[in-house]
Amino acid sequence: MTMIPSPATEDPLESLRSASDLLRALASPVRVGIVRELAEGGKCVHELVDALGISQPLVSQHLRVLRTSRIVTVRRRAREAEYSLVDDHVAHIVLDAIRHARE
């Protein structure tokens, strides 16, 4: 049986490290744009290329970073790969940051 550590026994900096890792993974205008697009629902690479107006290799490179950081997931859809957000929390962070930047 695996026990979940209580807040008193876990490393006090661990959640701060995790948050920092998340923000580092988002520290690119392209990755912010990808998350913004995926907030609307799953998309294939060619749809992200069209929406962002950048090359397919560049989109794929940034998707790899987001997958490694467990921000996006991929599933096969016939001959294409569809990318989607693992959860909506990251979308809220990104959309709030975009709104804040526009103020």
Side-chain angles (χ1 to χ4, degrees):
M1 180 160 103
T2 304
M3 296 194 51
I4 300 172
S6 70
T9 61
E10 71 181 41
D11 179 358
L13 292 179
E14 187 57 36
S15 61
L16 299 176
R17 284 187 196 103
S18 295
S20 178
D21 290 344
L22 170 66
L23 293 173
R24 193 174 305 113
L26 294 172
S28 160
V30 172
R31 292 193 290 270
V32 168
I34 289 171
V35 171
R36 182 194 63 197
E37 292 301 317
L38 295 179
E40 299 171 3
K43 292 192 174 18
C44 297
V45 173
H46 69 86
E47 294 171 309
L48 294 169
V49 167
D50 292 343
L52 298 170
I54 58 176
S55 70
Q56 181 273 323
L58 187 57
V59 169
S60 294
Q61 176 186 3
H62 286 284
L63 283 168
R64 190 172 325 125
V65 172
L66 294 171
R67 282 184 68 198
T68 301
S69 299
R70 296 187 174 118
I71 294 171
V72 301
T73 187
V74 63
R75 73 178 176 95
R76 284 278 169 214
R77 190 174 79 182
R79 294 177 53 143
E80 296 183 307
E82 181 181 76
Y83 290 86
S84 58
L85 296 174
V86 170
D87 63 50
D88 291 336
H89 292 101
V90 174
H92 291 292
I93 293 167
V94 166
L95 296 175
D96 285 347
I98 292 169
R99 277 191 287 274
H100 179 75
R102 289 180 177 161
E103 292 178 351

